[in-house]
């Protein structure tokens, strides 16, 4: 998605450790017009996947997941982060996730009444790095007996292993901006195939 790539080039900041800061427009200060376009683009990319709900993790996944759910006209559910899964068993689904940015493990929790075995769930997140967040959500979807319709991420860092791991699980993965390499001198985006609108 050219609009997102241009914005990353203009306002993104590359930090040490393979971290890209996009606080100016994507996950602290949020540009609602860009977010609206992101939601519409995910809705276009997953329009054939019979999505019945969107699932993300608080907090930075919520904005793109909301605009996508709105564009697809389906509900949005977000997993809560907790230090440990000590809530009543049976009424929540949970998975253990390693945080990319904080380097510690945490549990993600979704009340079980919000996902049914009839659901086809679209996972949306702001970033894909090692794939732990998306794989944790995928685990919860399987625990619920539902199906994963796909994974949509605003930014995939292709030099980290998440993209490959999710594709190996035969998931339909879409990234609106796919970064091949980045350092203090700049960011190299993966070329989109001709005809792709992304
Ligand atoms: P993963 O679970 O794929 O390793 O990492 C994805 C999660 O870590 C995302 O939910 C995102 O919040 C965070 N994350 C990963 N890489 C970055 C990054 O470069 N910048 C920011 N701001 N967050 C990131």
């Amino acid at each position: 998605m050219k609009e997102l790539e241009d914005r990353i080039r203009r306002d993104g900041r590359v930090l040490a450790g393979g971290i890209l800061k996009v606080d100016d427009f994507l996950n602290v200060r949020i540009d609602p017009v860009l977010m609206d376009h992101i939601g519409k683009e995910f809705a276009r990319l997953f329009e054939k996947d019979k999505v019945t709900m969107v699932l993300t993790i608080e907090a930075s996944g919520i904005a793109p997941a909301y605009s996508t759910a709105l564009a697809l006209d389906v509900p949005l559910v977000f997993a809560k982060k907790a230090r440990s899964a000590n809530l009543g068993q049976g009424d929540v689904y949970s998975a253990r996730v390693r945080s990319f940015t904080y380097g510690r493990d945490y549990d993600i929790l979704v009340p079980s009444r919000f996902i049914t075995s009839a659901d086809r769930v679209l996972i949306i997140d702001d970033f894909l790095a090692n794939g732990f967040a998306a794989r944790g959500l995928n685990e919860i979807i399987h625990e619920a007996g539902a199906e994963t319709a796909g994974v949509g991420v605003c930014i995939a860092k292709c030099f980290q292993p998440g993209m490959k791991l999710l594709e190996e699980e035969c998931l339909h993965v879409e990234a609106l901006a796919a970064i091949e390499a980045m350092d203090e001198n700049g960011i190299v985006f993966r070329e989109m195939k001709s005809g792709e609108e992304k």
Side-chain angles (χ1 to χ4, degrees), residues 18-22 27 60 98 100-101 125-134 157:
I19 292 182
L20 177 66
K21 285 292 244 186
V22 287
N27 54 23
S60 53
R98 170 148 285 259
F100 179 86
T101 32
D125 207 355
D126 58 343
F127 274 92
L128 177 60
N130 292 322
F132 294 128
K157 292 179 290 178

Side-chain angles (χ1 to χ4, degrees), residues 21-30 35 60 126-127:
K21 285 292 244 186
V22 287
D23 293 7
D24 291 58
F25 58 98
L26 203 72
N27 54 23
V28 177
R29 180 168 62 176
I30 292 170
M35 215 42 96
S60 53
D126 58 343
F127 274 92

Side-chain angles (χ1 to χ4, degrees), residues 110-177:
V110 177
S112 50
R113 70 181 191 282
F114 293 145
I115 311 182
T116 75
S117 56
D119 277 313
R120 287 185 51 81
V121 185
L122 175 60
I123 295 170
I124 295 286
D125 207 355
D126 58 343
F127 274 92
L128 177 60
N130 292 322
F132 294 128
R135 290 170 94 200
L137 291 170
N138 195 35
E139 231 177 277
I140 283 180
I141 294 165
H142 287 142
E143 216 187 318
E147 256 184 88
T148 303
V151 181
V153 292
C154 300
I155 303 169
K157 292 179 290 178
C158 304
F159 53 90
Q160 290 162 349
M163 180 66 113
K164 200 164 168 280
L165 288 173
L166 295 183
E167 284 176 348
E168 277 169 10
E169 291 183 27
C170 296
L171 291 168
H172 173 193
V173 185
E174 297 281 357
L176 302 188

Side-chain angles (χ1 to χ4, degrees), residues 64-84:
Y66 169 78
S67 59
T68 305
L70 183 65
L72 285 168
D73 193 20
V74 296
L76 156 67
V77 174
F78 67 88
K80 286 186 165 276
K81 287 177 183 168
R83 269 168 215 274
S84 64

